[in-house]
Amino acid sequence: MIHALALYPLAALAEIGGCFALWSVLRSGASPWWLLPGAAALAAFAWLLTLVDSEAAGRTYAAYGGVYVVASLLWLWAVEGRMPSGTDLAGAALCLAGAGVILGGALRG
């Protein structure tokens, strides 16, 4: 579980960065050259999730989802300069709780 807790935030940063590169090109008029580091970031995201010690990819991705939601809201605040709302934070707490249940079940076997 410690291994997953270290890898999930790194994977989230890579995924959000890669997706944001595409968002920036298509929605904000950024240079198409941003697609190159974006693609590399998305490849890093997929690779990082393969390093999580789990017997099933689906369970790894499901548990990762809670971390992704929290990381996305941190991105919203830190990069986009928008404060998450109370409902954003409540939803993130629910997602983290769900990820914790999934990880806890995976540890028991």
Side-chain angles (χ1 to χ4, degrees):
M1 184 163 160
I2 299 294
H3 192 66
L5 294 178
L7 289 171
Y8 283 163
L10 293 173
L13 180 62
E15 182 180 15
I16 295 165
C19 290
F20 190 73
L22 182 61
W23 175 280
S24 296
V25 170
L26 296 179
R27 302 274 309 256
S28 301
S31 167
W33 288 105
W34 277 104
L35 296 175
L36 292 175
L42 289 172
F45 150 71
W47 172 72
L48 286 164
L49 285 185
T50 68
L51 300 178
V52 174
D53 186 24
S54 176
E55 80 290 348
R59 185 168 291 124
T60 299
Y61 303 153
Y64 162 74
V67 175
Y68 176 79
V69 169
V70 171
S72 296
L73 293 175
L74 288 171
W75 184 280
L76 172 73
W77 174 63
V79 175
E80 297 183 68
R82 296 176 180 247
M83 185 65 72
S85 69
T87 54
D88 291 336
L89 298 176
L94 287 170
C95 290
L96 272 183
V101 170
I102 292 167
L103 284 173
L107 290 176
R108 283 195 243 6

